[in-house]
């Protein structure tokens, strides 16, 4: 595309592309930035795009840029949330860690659920091994762990 065509496209479609992006990203500043990027990408196109297909082409570029922006933001949030995970340092006494775990497990009133949770999470047995140790089905083990964890969440969070 030549400069005149790009200039005309910018004048004719910039507000529509920005509005389109505002509906997708819900942030006016981000929509403006993505609209600018959309026209920059249009400048790098080497093939001629018919005038009647130009708006469609720009909306497609805009949509792809918005999706890339969401993916980038999601990756960043996931990476940042992994950084917030508390870690136990070597200088943290094992006794302190055990006390914290025991405090959480103490919220479980059902002794069978407590035993299953201890075997699974504290001692590290697999579902199959835990099922064999307590003579229950694997489904029952999964269910017990699920209910026990939900009980802990309800007690600790509330």
């Amino acid at each position: 595309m030549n400069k005149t065509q790009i200039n005309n496209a910018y004048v004719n479609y910039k507000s529509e592309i920005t509005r389109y992006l505002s509906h997708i990203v819900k942030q006016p500043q981000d929509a403006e930035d993505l609209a600018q990027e959309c026209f920059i990408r249009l400048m790098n196109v080497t093939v001629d795009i018919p005038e009647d297909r130009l708006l469609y082409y720009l909306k497609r570029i805009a949509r792809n840029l918005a999706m890339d922006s969401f993916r980038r933001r999601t990756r960043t949030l996931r990476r940042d949330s992994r950084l917030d995970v508390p870690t136990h340092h070597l200088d943290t006494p094992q006794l302190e860690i055990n006390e914290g775990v025991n405090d959480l497990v103490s919220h479980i009133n059902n002794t069978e659920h407590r035993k299953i949770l201890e075997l699974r999470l504290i001692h590290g047995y697999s579902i199959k091994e835990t099922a064999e140790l307590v003579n229950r089905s694997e489904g029952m083990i999964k269910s017990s762990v699920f209910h026990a964890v939900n009980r802990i969440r309800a007690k600790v969070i509330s």
Side-chain angles (χ1 to χ4, degrees), residues 8-17 39 51 54-55 58:
N8 289 340
Y10 185 81
V11 170
N12 293 335
Y13 301 122
K14 184 197 181 290
S15 61
E16 190 166 345
I17 294 300
F39 285 99
E51 180 64 34
L54 189 58
L55 180 60
L58 286 168

Side-chain angles (χ1 to χ4, degrees), residues 95-128:
L95 181 62
E96 259 182 66
I97 295 170
N98 289 343
E99 284 176 1
V101 170
N102 288 333
D103 181 46
L104 288 175
V105 172
S106 70
H107 292 290
I108 309 299
N109 296 331
N110 185 324
T111 55
E112 188 173 21
H113 285 200
R114 184 183 303 159
K115 181 178 181 180
I116 289 170
L117 191 67
E118 287 175 356
L119 289 171
R120 284 282 297 129
L121 301 179
I122 298 172
H123 300 294
Y125 287 106
S126 70
I127 292 173
K128 186 175 185 176

Side-chain angles (χ1 to χ4, degrees), residues 17-139:
I17 294 300
T18 304
R19 196 175 14 215
Y20 175 72
L21 284 164
S22 291
H23 289 294
I24 296 173
V25 297
K26 308 290 188 225
Q27 297 290 331
Q29 299 86 2
D30 292 343
E32 281 287 330
D33 292 343
L34 290 173
Q36 292 295 326
E37 180 65 29
C38 186
F39 285 99
I40 290 170
R41 297 256 174 117
L42 182 64
M43 287 192 291
N44 295 327
V45 171
T46 56
V47 296
D48 275 341
I49 301 164
E51 180 64 34
D52 62 329
R53 303 293 295 160
L54 189 58
L55 180 60
Y56 171 77
Y57 188 80
L58 286 168
K59 282 186 175 182
R60 178 61 101 188
I61 292 173
R63 182 186 159 283
N64 290 341
L65 287 170
M67 293 302 122
D68 290 346
S69 172
F70 286 136
R71 285 187 198 108
R72 211 175 7 259
R73 192 174 301 133
T74 302
R75 265 182 278 175
T76 302
L77 289 173
R78 260 193 249 133
R79 184 195 68 226
D80 291 348
S81 68
R82 281 195 304 260
L83 295 176
D84 293 338
V85 173
T87 56
H88 297 288
H89 299 282
L90 295 176
D91 61 341
T92 304
Q94 188 63 37
L95 181 62
E96 259 182 66
I97 295 170
N98 289 343
E99 284 176 1
V101 170
N102 288 333
D103 181 46
L104 288 175
V105 172
S106 70
H107 292 290
I108 309 299
N109 296 331
N110 185 324
T111 55
E112 188 173 21
H113 285 200
R114 184 183 303 159
K115 181 178 181 180
I116 289 170
L117 191 67
E118 287 175 356
L119 289 171
R120 284 282 297 129
L121 301 179
I122 298 172
H123 300 294
Y125 287 106
S126 70
I127 292 173
K128 186 175 185 176
E129 293 167 334
T130 305
E132 291 171 0
L133 288 169
V134 296
N135 200 24
R136 298 285 186 197
S137 71
E138 290 179 29

